[in-house]
Amino acid sequence: GDSVTQMEGPVTLSEEAFLTINCTYTATGYPSLFWYVQYPGEGLQLLLKATKADDKGSNKGFEATYRKETTSFHLEKGSVQVSDSAVYFCALSTGNQFYFGTGTSLTVIP
Amino acid sequence: GAVVSQHPSWVICKSGTSVKIECRSLDFQATTMFWYRQFPKQSLMLMATSNEGSKATYEQGVEKDKFLINHASLTLSTLTVTSAHPEDSSFYICSAGSDRGPKTQYFGPGTRLLVL
């Protein structure tokens, strides 16, 4: 069945470090791919998305490229800030059903 | 972007009481809404999918008599936790499927339930 495998955390980085959170997926058909972010005590917010192969989603300095050949959608940011500390979820959708990864906790220290 | 609200954001109740959580799509019509449960430091677990005007579809292992879902209109879905017990304490999150393609779910801010 459809599923998402996400890099386990927690991840701790110094401010201005480069961030990569790996995400790979298994799906039949042609899924849309998403990254959601959850700040402490809050719900999920859509960070970025890509709906077809080779699309790049970007927002707030974060980027992810839909790679069909490697079935991946890795999240990257060139220079993280303390305010980026949160839990990041990779997800896929092949219709109305969403499948989430287990989440990766990121802590950025000054 | 699309906005989904939840009410209440926090609720504390005694064991045995019932709690109703509302989920509203504020600026779009949501024919489909989803209810998730999230345990501390874990991912979201889909509980049920509700479509306006029809019965909710529950995921395996979710007690439909325990978690009553009603989707009475295109902007409102409710989750009622009946006869709540401490093990029902959790973070409940709803999401709504936007009618604006491509398909994306917009999440509410969540409701934290603590059953004493």
Side-chain angles (χ1 to χ4, degrees):
Chain A
D2 296 346
S3 66
V4 174
T5 301
Q6 191 174 337
M7 170 180 159
E8 286 192 24
V11 174
T12 302
L13 294 174
S14 298
E15 206 165 22
E16 298 184 4
F18 184 85
L19 168 71
T20 300
I21 301 178
N22 290 337
C23 172
T24 56
Y25 68 90
T26 302
T28 54
Y30 304 95
S32 295
L33 301 174
F34 305 81
W35 277 100
Y36 284 88
V37 58
Q38 185 178 32
Y39 297 102
E42 299 183 15
L44 273 69
Q45 300 176 27
L46 177 64
L47 181 59
L48 53 84
K49 63 184 178 186
T51 58
K52 60 183 187 297
D54 299 326
D55 269 3
K56 177 187 283 188
S58 61
N59 185 26
K60 299 180 182 179
F62 291 89
E63 292 184 341
T65 301
Y66 189 143
R67 301 282 187 203
K68 190 176 179 184
E69 62 276 13
T70 54
T71 61
S72 65
F73 193 55
H74 303 322
L75 182 68
E76 296 182 337
K77 186 173 185 181
S79 175
V80 293
Q81 305 301 311
V82 172
S83 57
D84 294 326
S85 298
V87 180
Y88 293 82
F89 292 92
C90 185
L92 73 81
S93 172
T94 53
N96 261 336
Q97 182 75 44
F98 264 60
Y99 299 90
F100 287 89
T102 52
T104 301
S105 175
L106 169 67
T107 301
V108 180
I109 54 177
Chain B
V3 178
V4 175
S5 70
Q6 272 183 250
H7 177 80
S9 54
W10 263 100
V11 58
I12 301 173
C13 69
K14 292 182 178 180
S15 185
T17 60
S18 294
V19 175
K20 179 185 283 188
I21 303 170
E22 292 186 349
C23 176
R24 292 181 186 273
S25 57
L26 298 183
D27 57 353
F28 65 98
Q29 293 186 329
T31 53
T32 306
M33 287 186 170
F34 306 86
W35 286 96
Y36 295 86
R37 184 173 179 177
Q38 186 180 30
F39 293 100
K41 299 189 179 183
Q42 294 188 25
S43 189
L44 282 73
M45 180 192 79
L46 179 64
M47 299 173 66
T49 303
S50 74
N51 292 294
E52 185 265 338
S54 62
K55 290 184 178 179
T57 302
Y58 290 81
E59 296 299 304
Q60 193 171 9
V62 178
E63 300 175 61
K64 60 182 179 182
D65 295 331
K66 171 79 171 175
F67 299 99
L68 300 178
I69 292 172
N70 182 277
H71 192 160
S73 76
L74 287 172
T75 60
L76 174 64
S77 176
T78 60
L79 167 68
T80 301
V81 183
T82 63
S83 187
H85 288 92
E87 59 266 28
D88 298 324
S89 299
S90 192
F91 194 47
Y92 292 89
I93 304 175
C94 74
S95 71
S98 171
D99 54 357
R100 309 167 190 170
K103 292 191 185 295
T104 301
Q105 285 191 24
Y106 295 93
F107 286 82
T111 296
R112 195 165 299 279
L113 170 64
L114 177 61
V115 184
L116 302 177

